[in-house]
Amino acid sequence: MTTAPAARRSRENTRARLIEAAADVFAEKALRRVTVDDLVGAAGFTRGAFYSNFAGIEELFFEVYAEQADLMMAAVRAAIDDIPPGEFSLSSMRSVLGALHPFGRRWFLIQNEVTLLAVRDPAARERFIAQGDRLQLEMRDLVARVLTLLDREPVVSVENLADVLLALYLHSLGIEQLGTGNLDPDRLVDDVLPHVLLGLSRPAT
C-alpha cells in the first residue's frame, strides 16, 4: 500500500516533470496554440496527470515562467560565487551573463509570451505583476551585490538600474534570435554593459 509521503513525492515529481517539459513546449509554440496533449506528450504522462496537478494550460504556463526565472537567478548567483573574493571586475560580467546563455532563447520567447498575455488579460496581469515584483526584488539584490563587489554604489535607484540591465539583456536576446541589429549578448557584455554600470554608478563612499 502506497504511503501518504510516497504518494506526495510521486505527485511532486509528476508536477515537476510537467513544468520542466512544458518549458520547451511553450518556447516552441505560442501559448494559445499549445494543447494539453502537447504538454503531456512532452512529459510522458496522461491527461489525467495534467489535470490532477493544474487547472489549465495558463496555470502551468505561469509555473514555467516562475521556474525559469528562478533557474536563471540561481545560475547568476552561482556564477558570482565562483569568482574568487577580491577578483571580481567588470570583465567578470562575461562569466555572469554567460551563465544565462543556456536559458537565453527559451527565456526570450516565454518572457515575451507572458508579457503579451498580461497586456491583454487583466486577470493574467495581476499574476504577472506579482511574479514580476518577486523577480525584480531578486534582480535588485543581485545588482546591489555586483556593485558591492565592484566597490561602487548606484547614482539611480538599484531598482531602476536593475530594470535598465534587464531591458538591455532582453533586447540583446531579441537581436540574437532575429539575427539583425548589433547589440547581441556578446556585444552587450563587451561594449555596452561596462559603460552602463560605470555611468550609472560611482565609487563607493
Side-chain angles (χ1 to χ4, degrees):
M1 181 176 180
T2 304
T3 63
R8 193 160 47 246
R9 283 195 300 272
S10 177
R11 180 170 181 176
E12 289 170 353
N13 290 339
T14 298
R15 184 181 180 88
R17 175 57 188 152
L18 283 165
I19 294 171
E20 179 184 10
D24 288 327
V25 176
F26 288 128
E28 296 304 322
K29 297 181 71 171
L31 173 62
R32 297 308 185 195
R33 293 180 55 202
V34 172
T35 66
V36 172
D37 287 337
D38 291 332
L39 296 166
V40 298
F45 293 124
T46 64
R47 290 172 66 89
F50 176 87
Y51 285 112
S52 68
N53 285 278
F54 302 100
I57 292 174
E58 192 173 299
E59 180 185 348
L60 173 56
F61 178 64
F62 273 101
E63 290 287 336
V64 169
Y65 173 65
E67 183 182 72
Q68 289 298 302
D70 288 343
L71 290 172
M72 291 174 67
M73 293 300 99
V76 170
R77 285 192 294 270
I80 294 173
D81 289 341
D82 284 343
I83 299 172
E87 295 185 16
F88 197 93
S89 66
L90 283 173
S91 62
S92 302
M93 295 305 298
R94 170 162 286 281
S95 297
V96 173
L97 287 188
L100 296 175
H101 183 72
F103 306 95
R105 180 176 185 275
R106 180 188 295 167
W107 175 251
F108 175 76
L109 293 166
I110 292 175
Q111 168 69 23
N112 277 279
E113 194 77 31
V114 77
T115 301
L116 290 173
L117 176 63
V119 168
R120 293 167 176 156
D121 184 340
R125 189 177 309 140
E126 290 184 12
R127 189 164 186 177
F128 173 73
I129 290 172
Q131 292 194 358
D133 287 346
R134 185 171 66 87
L135 176 59
Q136 186 185 53
L137 181 61
E138 293 195 41
M139 278 286 296
R140 183 198 69 188
D141 290 344
L142 284 170
V143 170
R145 184 180 176 193
V146 166
L147 289 175
T148 297
L149 289 169
L150 293 171
D151 199 25
R152 299 184 70 84
E153 60 186 21
V155 297
V156 297
S157 71
V158 178
E159 290 85 357
N160 285 345
L161 180 52
D163 282 345
V164 168
L165 296 177
L166 181 59
L168 285 171
Y169 177 63
L170 287 171
H171 178 71
S172 74
L173 289 178
I175 294 298
E176 182 181 49
Q177 295 306 311
L178 293 171
T180 185
N182 295 313
L183 193 61
D184 60 25
D186 286 337
R187 185 69 59 83
L188 173 67
V189 175
D190 292 338
D191 299 340
V192 176
L193 190 59
H195 297 290
V196 172
L197 282 173
L198 289 176
L200 295 178
S201 67
R202 62 192 171 208
T205 56

